[in-house]
Amino acid sequence: MKGFDNSFEVCHCQNVTLGEIIYTIKEEGARTLGQIQDATRAGTECRCCMFEEADTSQLKKKLYCKEILKFYTKGKE
């Protein structure tokens, strides 16, 4: 993901980083948002980090789990 370091915190509630989500997709084979949630706990509390439509926070996220999943699984379904 251009412009984001692997240490970028995608899920503030569970302190889950971009690198952890990428690892879950690339190394553990996650192919759904539910699998990312199960493996990392990202998006299991307020859910604002899952996708833009679910982001009800005042300070909008810069990156969502759905975007990360799509980016790293494109052409692998």
Side-chain angles (χ1 to χ4, degrees), residues 25 30-33 65-73:
I25 295 166
R31 293 292 178 263
T32 67
L33 292 175
C65 293
K66 184 177 179 179
E67 293 172 356
I68 301 165
L69 181 65
K70 185 176 179 179
F71 183 86
Y72 284 99
T73 59

Side-chain angles (χ1 to χ4, degrees), residues 31-56:
R31 293 292 178 263
T32 67
L33 292 175
Q35 289 172 336
I36 290 173
Q37 287 178 310
D38 290 344
T40 66
R41 307 251 331 119
T44 59
E45 201 163 315
C46 78
R47 301 180 194 265
C48 289
C49 65
M50 294 310 291
F51 45 90
E52 189 172 4
E53 298 81 12
D55 191 352
T56 57

Side-chain angles (χ1 to χ4, degrees), residues 2 27-28 33 73 75 77:
K2 284 188 176 183
E27 303 299 325
E28 296 180 0
L33 292 175
T73 59
E77 287 89 35

